[in-house]
Every structure is written in C-alpha cells, then in structure tokens.
Amino acid sequence: MHYNLAFLALGVAQLSSRLANAQGGCSSIATRRDITSLSAQEWSRMESVLNRMQADGWFQRFADIHNREFGNIHGNDNFFPWHRRFLRDFEEVGQTYDPSFAVPYWDELRDSRSPASSGVLTSRLLGGNGFGGCVKDGLEAGWTLGFPSSHCLVRQYDRGDQMQSWYSPEFIYSVMQRYNDMHGFREHIEYSIHGSVHLSVGGDMATYWSPNDFIFFLHHANLDRLWDQWQMSGHAMTMDGANQNGTPMSLGLPLPHYGDPVGSTMRMGVGRMCFRYAGNGGGARSRSASSQLALVAAPLRGGLDSADAGLSRLPRPVLEKWFPALARQVAPPAANATAKSSPAPAPKPKPASSAVPHNSTRGVIVSAKNPLPYPAPLTEMWISMHKLNRGAVARVMAEARQFVNDLNNVNYNSPY
C-alpha cells in the first residue's frame, strides 16, 4: 500500500472542499449515472481509477472506517446523511485520480425480481457469484483486499446460484408517499432493500467491512438517489428521529467520524455535496407524483408513462391505502358515471381454488401476468449484527407482505 501519496492526494481534495464550503457552491458537479448506461470506454476509465485506488489502499481505508463506525450509522437516523458523506468522501478520492470520476449507482429495484441475472453481476462489470469463495471475474477479480486481513473478494448468493427476490420498485414508491418523517422513511428503506441487497450478495457484502465490494458503493448510491427523490417531494430539509446515542436528530449534530454537521449533507450543489443524479434534477424537481415510479426504477417493459398507468388503475381503496400522493393526482370517478359504467365492487375473496380474480376498475381478469414476488426477510444474524429494533423490523416485514398481498389480490401487473 502507498498511503503517503494517497493521503497527500486526499489532503488536496479536502482543501478544495473546504474552499468550496466557504464559498457555498461547487466549481463542478459530478453526475452519478446508472452503471449500465456507461459505455465500454467510460467503464474502462472508471476501472482504471478503482484499480489504482485499490493499489493505494483506499478500499482498505473505507472498509476500516465503516467497520469502526458500524454501530453509529445503522439502526438510527444517522443512516442516510452519514452514508451520503461517506460516498462523497470516496468520490472525492477518486477525483484525485481522474477529475471526471463519479460514483455510479445500480438501479437494483429494476432487477429486484431476479437479481442474479442482472447485467451488473457479469464479467463486463462487477462479476458474479463466488459461491463462498473468491470472485473470479469482473472488476475485483484478482484483487487482494487488506481489511480486516489479507483476502480475496468473497461473494455468496443467498440461494446458491440465485438470489431471493428483493423489494419491488412499487413498494419503495409506496414508502416514499406514505412516510413524511425521516425516521419512518429511513426504517422502511434500511429494513427492506438496504438489508436485502447486502444479504443476497453475501460474502464481504454481509460483513462489517462491506465497502470491500464495490457493489457497496453502487448500492448506497442508489439508496442515496432514492433519498434525494424523497427530499424533492417536499422533504428537502426533513431530519428527525434520533442518533446512535438516542439524541434527537438535528441539522447541527456532528456526523460520526467526520464531525461535519448533518445539515451539510442535505443540499446538493452546496459545500462539498458537489454531485447530482442523472434524471433527478432540473424539471424532475417539479414533477407530479404520477410520474415518479419510472424514476424510482426504470421499467423493463413499456415506456416511462406506462409504469404509473397500472398503479393509477388500481381500485380506489388500494390506491388510497398504498399510494396516497398518486391517489390525489387521479380523480375518483364521478358518482353518476360510476353507477352507469363501472363494474360492481370487488367481492370478498373466495377460497383460493374457486376465487375469480377481479379488479373493480378493469373488470374481471383471469390472472395476473406479472404478480409481485414476496421479498426476502432480514435474517436473525443481520438483525443482531446491526442491533436493530426487532419490533420495527417485524412491522416493516409484515407491511411489505401485506403490500404484495393487496396488489396481487387485485391482479396488478408489474412492469418490472
């Protein structure tokens, strides 16, 4: 490892950031893109940066920081601002090797139905399963990682050569509409898609030192992207809940390890938060709730508008229960029009063997072509490792299953 040169480079980056902070703005903005949108040339350039960072000991350093701060940044409301600061730290280091470096994100919700078949987990990008041993292809094949001791990158999918399904884009979209406080929003993201991805990939990703795997940074960039979208929906400076000590969260509280105030992470393009997410800025900041699902995750089938079209046609009680913001955008049918043209309300479900699938806005449907899968629950090991509130985890798990039940019972067809 070559820490002297590396830390000198970091010193330059930190000085630049302090100057930017003093000025209140950024001299340049890094655009974080979906990793699958990178051209072969762009990915080759990024690989070069990451290989040099590994050679200079940076992956070891970030794994060490995450390990030391683990109990301070999980299971409490430091989660989002701390990881945003951590990702920006990693990105700033990368920019000392190549000023155009920006951490990409993995649109993992798009791949939630069958994660192991994602193009991200191929030899062209991050490589695949290690089956409990060394990953043999992709970016980190052949790397010797230094923390907590010398080893290769390990992955072990949670279903052998497959992974159990993750949380759907629709569920995360629902969370973003139903929770207006940071504490509720954070719990429902941390206890769902956050843990699900870490556990399914396994190996180093299921340890305290998960930043050894570059998937960690793709994963947390996507979670941060979702937080950014939630902020844009009227929660720009929303911060509540409590930190690792039970102290009520506020914008002035210092972040573990860094000491920067929580508020310094809340606004992009200010201070050292010199980055943005492709698709999250500009006109998107004034978008209506009915156009958000396709931005939460790019649909696999149909156009961007089609993603919301299916949700808009959900029976009114289901729409209002799970997608209240979208329900406000979709006018309920007029009483007289309903009486003349709408089918009868959906009957109570009959026994599974004889029930006829029915949707009160689309009529009788024989079967759903693409029902939502049940997501993977958090394991006891993961809950204990993070010292999570078991009652809160159980509530999120039960809510996620009820969400799947409710949408499948009305034959919702997912575009993912």
Side-chain angles (χ1 to χ4, degrees):
M1 294 178 296
H2 308 290
Y3 271 109
N4 290 339
L5 289 176
F7 278 111
L8 177 60
L10 180 63
V12 173
Q14 289 177 332
L15 177 59
S16 299
S17 295
R18 290 193 189 100
L19 290 173
N21 189 54
Q23 296 168 353
C26 299
S27 59
S28 62
I29 300 291
T31 298
R32 297 178 180 175
R33 292 165 52 194
D34 180 343
I35 190 172
T36 63
S37 74
L38 301 180
S39 68
Q41 182 178 9
E42 289 170 328
W43 175 241
S44 177
R45 187 169 177 173
M46 183 167 292
E47 277 188 306
S48 176
V49 171
L50 296 169
N51 277 302
R52 291 160 66 193
M53 288 176 66
Q54 158 62 10
D56 286 340
W58 285 109
F59 276 78
Q60 174 176 331
R61 176 180 180 272
F62 282 98
D64 182 22
I65 293 172
H66 190 267
N67 175 68
R68 284 188 281 114
E69 299 296 342
F70 196 86
N72 295 328
I73 59 175
H74 297 101
N76 64 74
D77 297 295
N78 277 324
F79 178 80
F80 274 111
W82 191 90
H83 283 90
R84 177 173 285 180
R85 178 66 180 82
F86 187 67
L87 259 66
R88 183 56 186 156
D89 192 3
F90 182 89
E91 189 168 66
E92 286 177 341
V93 173
Q95 288 169 350
T96 66
Y97 295 87
D98 181 345
S100 70
F101 180 81
V103 176
Y105 66 87
W106 178 6
D107 188 356
E108 54 215 354
L109 295 173
R110 179 184 57 206
D111 297 329
S112 59
R113 186 176 295 271
S114 181
S117 62
S118 170
V120 175
L121 301 174
T122 62
S123 58
R124 189 181 84 82
L125 294 174
L126 274 297
N129 199 359
F131 295 95
C134 302
V135 173
K136 303 295 186 183
D137 59 349
L139 168 70
E140 294 183 74
W143 280 16
T144 300
L145 298 162
F147 190 87
S149 58
S150 181
H151 70 288
C152 64
L153 176 67
V154 176
R155 289 192 194 131
Q156 185 170 13
Y157 294 175
D158 66 346
R159 293 293 183 271
D161 61 348
Q162 297 297 317
M163 299 182 196
Q164 187 166 333
S165 296
W166 296 339
Y167 291 77
S168 68
E170 290 91 343
F171 179 72
I172 300 303
Y173 181 40
S174 172
V175 167
M176 293 169 72
Q177 294 194 25
R178 290 182 294 114
Y179 291 91
N180 296 312
D181 62 307
M182 169 55 77
H183 182 73
F185 175 71
R186 188 270 306 169
E187 281 192 332
H188 281 75
I189 299 297
E190 185 180 3
Y191 301 165
S192 64
I193 188 64
H194 169 254
S196 187
V197 172
H198 276 278
L199 283 166
S200 291
V201 173
D204 279 78
M205 271 289 282
T207 68
Y208 297 101
W209 45 90
S210 49
N212 276 332
D213 194 331
F214 189 56
I215 286 178
F216 171 95
F217 295 95
L218 304 181
H219 176 39
H220 276 275
N222 194 51
L223 299 183
D224 188 68
R225 182 180 70 92
L226 296 174
W227 178 29
D228 180 43
Q229 290 187 359
W230 185 74
Q231 286 183 290
M232 288 185 224
S233 64
H235 310 294
M237 302 300 286
T238 299
M239 185 55 59
D240 51 63
N243 70 2
Q244 73 277 15
N245 300 318
T247 302
M249 288 292 288
S250 70
L251 298 179
L253 277 183
L255 290 169
H257 178 74
Y258 293 106
D260 298 354
V262 168
S264 68
T265 69
M266 301 294 286
R267 296 173 58 201
M268 294 183 187
V270 175
R272 66 191 309 159
M273 299 295 107
C274 300
F275 68 94
R276 62 178 292 274
Y277 290 98
N280 271 26
R285 291 188 177 273
S286 60
R287 63 184 181 270
S288 67
S290 60
S291 66
Q292 289 182 346
L293 178 58
L295 296 175
V296 170
L300 297 174
R301 289 167 290 279
L304 295 179
D305 293 337
S306 67
D308 288 291
L311 292 178
S312 299
R313 293 193 296 269
L314 287 172
R316 193 73 191 177
V318 176
L319 185 65
E320 291 177 346
K321 176 181 179 180
W322 294 111
F323 304 99
L326 181 57
R328 290 192 291 272
Q329 300 289 325
V330 179
N336 58 349
T338 301
K340 293 179 181 179
S341 60
S342 295
K348 293 182 179 180
K350 299 177 182 179
S353 59
S354 60
V356 177
H358 188 281
N359 180 306
S360 65
T361 60
R362 287 183 283 179
V364 176
I365 301 173
V366 175
S367 64
K369 296 178 181 178
N370 211 35
L372 295 177
Y374 288 98
L378 297 185
T379 65
E380 178 59 32
M381 177 277 292
W382 187 260
I383 294 170
S384 298
M385 173 181 167
H386 289 74
K387 297 181 172 59
L388 302 181
N389 181 312
R390 281 177 167 76
V393 171
R395 287 193 297 274
V396 172
M397 298 296 101
E399 185 179 300
R401 291 188 65 83
Q402 188 60 53
F403 176 85
V404 172
N405 288 338
D406 284 359
L407 267 68
N408 286 348
N409 283 343
V410 296
N411 297 289
Y412 169 73
N413 284 307
S414 174
Y416 301 94

